[in-house]
């Protein structure tokens, strides 16, 4: 099988759609094959962007982050040693890039709110940054509920938030989440239990 | 069934994918546990929110080629970046190997033995001047846990 694939590459009958991730990675590292990298991007772009959306709740920011993720992936492929699945590796880069983006945005929001107030004093209008996509649901009650829940998710500790987003936005199994986060299965179970309980305290009024 | 277990099955339950053998115990626990019932409500909202947000995903056919042109534009930077990483990686590997070697020597002399690769990696890190941001593993503090300590 291995020999067969190598022959395919040698005779440049490049059937990228049938190539495994592993073979694509080899093509990229050994021959700097951009076509192979583009195939990899196309395979994983939806996964990366939708994961980013889970953290940022904004499609355009998530797409920006995804660009950084794939450039980072391109740089890091020589270090990737097939010990884990490629998707696990890509998830880790995506999570880290998303969290870094949020930290940066938080800093910038603090700075801009300071300058915004200064401008207000000077009679200038305070500028608004569009942080979150408007929910498309027309039901007012549901919209308010989503907004509350979004805020609550954003306030969860990083670990709980990562597990929650991989679980709800990516439908990853507990085992897959454990691999991405490099923690035990029972740690994932506990993180998600605490995440849901924390959200419940905000969302559900106890009778 | 414990609360943790019940919570871990909620998504499957709401998607109608819960195995019949678990269904009985799951529903029995829910009938008796207010908190889990509330958590289930939250999970329902969560799945709804996720569906709502993810419906804004657009398939962008130019995405791949845009990345390639970015990589092309930053070619030189990226190449030197990869070189630095590989050198760093090789240095760490060498230092780890040396750490284990020194560890064994020290062990023979009756001093503390470096028992795991991670010990050796820590030592290796000390000797590395060039540290690149490691974004392939997590180093995230769980604020709840640290509060408890
Ligand atoms: Zn319970």
């Amino acid at each position: 099988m291995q020999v067969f694939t190598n022959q395919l590459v040698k005779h440049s009958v490049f059937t990228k759609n049938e190539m495994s991730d592993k073979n694509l990675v080899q093509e990229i590292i050994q021959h700097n094959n951009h076509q192979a990298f583009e195939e990899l991007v196309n395979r994983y772009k939806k996964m990366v962007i939708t994961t980013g959306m889970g953290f940022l709740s904004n499609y355009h920011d998530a797409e920006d982050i995804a660009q950084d993720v794939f450039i980072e992936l391109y740089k890091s492929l020589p270090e990737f040693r097939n010990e884990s699945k490629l998707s696990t590796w890509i998830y880790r880069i995506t999570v880290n890039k998303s969290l870094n983006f949020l930290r940066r945005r938080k800093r910038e929001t603090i700075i801009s709110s300071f300058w915004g107030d200064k401008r207000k004093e000077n009679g200038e209008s305070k500028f608004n940054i569009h942080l979150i996509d408007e929910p498309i649901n027309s039901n007012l009650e549901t919209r308010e509920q989503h907004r509350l829940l979004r805020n609550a998710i954003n306030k969860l500790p990083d670990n709980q938030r990562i597990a929650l987003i991989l679980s709800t936005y990516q439908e990853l199994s507990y085992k897959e989440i454990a691999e991405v986060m490099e923690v035990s299965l029972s740690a994932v179970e506990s993180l998600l239990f605490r995440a849901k309980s924390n959200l419940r305290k905000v969302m559900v009024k106890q009778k | 069934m414990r609360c943790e277990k019940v919570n871990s099955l909620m998504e499957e339950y709401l998607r109608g994918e819960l195995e019949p053998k678990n269904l009985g115990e799951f529903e029995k626990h829910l009938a008796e546990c207010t908190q889990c019932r509330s958590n289930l409500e939250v999970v329902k909202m969560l799945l709804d929110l996720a569906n709502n947000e993810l419906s804004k995903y657009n398939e962008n056919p130019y995405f791949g080629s845009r990345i390639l042109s970015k990589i092309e534009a930053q070619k030189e930077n990226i190449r030197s970046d990869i070189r630095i990483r590989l050198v760093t990686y090789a240095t760490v590997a060498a230092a780890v190997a040396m750490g284990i070697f020194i560890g064994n020597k020290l062990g023979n002399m009756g001093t503390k033995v470096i028992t795991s690769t991670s010990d050796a990696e820590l030592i290796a890190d000390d000797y590395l001047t060039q540290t690149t941001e490691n974004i392939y593993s997590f180093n995230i503090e769980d604020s709840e846990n640290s509060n408890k300590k």
Side-chain angles (χ1 to χ4, degrees):
Chain A
M1 184 61 213
Q2 193 61 40
V3 178
F4 180 63
T5 334
N6 282 342
Q7 265 177 353
L8 273 184
V9 174
K10 265 189 199 133
H11 296 111
S12 66
V13 188
F14 184 57
T15 48
K16 53 184 174 143
N17 287 324
E18 290 159 24
M19 285 179 94
S20 69
D21 284 355
K22 202 177 161 188
N23 290 334
L24 280 176
V25 170
Q26 263 174 7
E27 265 298 288
I28 298 160
I29 297 174
Q30 287 168 6
H31 308 284
N32 193 25
N33 185 332
H34 278 191
Q35 208 191 349
F37 189 68
E38 191 173 1
E39 169 63 19
L40 214 58
V41 172
N42 285 333
R43 269 182 206 182
Y44 286 103
K45 65 179 178 187
K46 187 170 185 184
M47 179 188 105
V48 170
I49 295 174
T50 52
T51 306
M53 288 170 81
F55 285 97
L56 313 168
S57 52
N58 176 308
Y59 173 75
H60 290 287
D61 287 342
E63 213 193 61
D64 282 350
I65 292 294
Q67 290 193 30
D68 291 351
V69 169
F70 284 112
I71 291 174
E72 185 61 46
L73 175 68
Y74 181 81
K75 291 183 197 171
S76 70
L77 277 182
E79 290 166 68
F80 177 68
R81 279 153 288 138
N82 291 310
E83 280 158 11
S84 55
K85 283 196 297 184
L86 186 65
S87 61
T88 305
W89 183 258
I90 298 176
Y91 270 126
R92 284 188 200 150
I93 302 178
T94 309
V95 168
N96 280 303
K97 289 273 177 199
S98 301
L99 290 177
N100 284 340
F101 177 89
L102 286 174
R103 288 183 197 120
R104 218 166 46 232
R105 186 165 76 183
K106 199 170 166 189
R107 264 202 310 273
E108 277 163 19
T109 311
I110 292 169
I111 294 168
S112 70
S113 71
F114 172 75
W115 287 110
D117 286 340
K118 287 279 177 204
R119 288 178 178 199
K120 210 173 178 181
E121 284 165 22
N122 298 334
E124 291 172 47
S125 69
K126 187 174 176 174
F127 59 91
N128 274 318
I129 317 169
H130 223 58
L131 293 183
I132 292 178
D133 278 345
E134 277 299 312
I136 47 175
N137 202 303
S138 54
N139 181 326
L140 192 72
E141 201 189 338
T142 315
R143 250 159 61 184
E144 179 57 17
Q145 204 179 58
H146 282 177
R147 201 186 56 77
L148 269 176
L149 186 56
R150 216 340 124 183
N151 283 336
I153 295 172
N154 293 349
K155 282 180 185 138
L156 287 175
D158 285 349
N159 256 344
Q160 294 178 22
R161 188 151 39 117
I162 296 166
L164 190 78
I165 283 161
L166 293 177
S167 163
T168 37
Y169 283 74
Q170 296 297 307
E171 299 190 20
L172 292 195
S173 69
Y174 281 40
K175 189 170 167 285
E176 289 167 316
I177 297 174
E179 277 161 18
V180 172
M181 297 182 72
E182 296 180 292
V183 296
S184 69
L185 215 59
S186 62
V188 173
E189 193 181 86
S190 151
L191 281 173
L192 283 167
F193 176 60
R194 281 186 285 151
K196 289 168 190 173
S197 303
N198 281 333
L199 296 179
R200 181 236 310 147
K201 285 170 202 158
V202 180
M203 300 303 296
V204 182
K205 301 276 170 291
Q206 297 297 323
K207 280 144 212 163
Chain B
M1 219 181 251
R2 288 164 26 245
C3 292
E4 280 92 340
K5 177 74 179 165
V6 169
N7 271 263
S8 76
L9 296 174
M10 285 177 177
E11 286 86 354
E12 285 173 45
Y13 176 75
L14 289 171
R15 287 174 183 137
E17 293 162 2
L18 188 56
E19 287 178 52
K21 65 172 171 130
N22 287 326
L23 195 63
E25 266 199 81
F26 180 87
E27 287 183 333
K28 181 169 170 278
H29 181 104
L30 276 186
E32 292 160 356
C33 180
T34 335
Q35 293 206 334
C36 280
R37 274 205 304 279
S38 300
N39 278 17
L40 185 68
E41 251 183 80
V42 169
V43 174
K44 210 187 277 175
M45 286 183 225
L46 266 173
L47 295 185
D48 195 40
L49 173 74
N51 270 335
N52 189 301
E53 291 191 348
L54 292 178
S55 68
K56 284 164 205 139
Y57 175 79
N58 277 313
E59 190 69 32
N60 176 354
Y62 306 108
F63 186 76
S65 54
R66 207 198 299 159
I67 304 257
L68 283 187
S69 52
K70 274 203 161 183
I71 287 174
E72 194 56 38
Q74 302 177 30
K75 205 162 56 184
E76 287 314 311
N77 286 343
I78 289 177
R79 272 208 197 115
S80 68
D81 206 10
I82 291 177
R83 259 198 303 277
I84 289 171
R85 279 155 187 257
L86 287 179
V87 169
T88 311
Y89 178 65
T91 319
V92 171
V96 166
M98 216 154 78
I100 291 167
F101 175 72
I102 295 169
N104 286 338
K105 284 277 176 213
L106 291 179
N108 290 340
M109 292 187 297
T111 342
K112 183 183 173 285
V113 194
I114 301 170
T115 43
S116 70
T117 1
S118 65
D119 283 345
E121 272 167 1
L122 281 178
I123 293 173
D125 282 346
D126 284 345
Y127 289 101
L128 281 178
T129 41
Q130 182 108 38
T131 46
T132 42
E133 182 193 23
N134 184 11
I135 63 164
Y136 313 109
S137 60
F138 293 102
N139 183 20
I140 292 149
E141 226 183 89
D142 190 330
S143 58
E144 280 199 339
N145 269 350
S146 47
N147 284 346
K148 269 180 214 157
K149 273 171 206 162

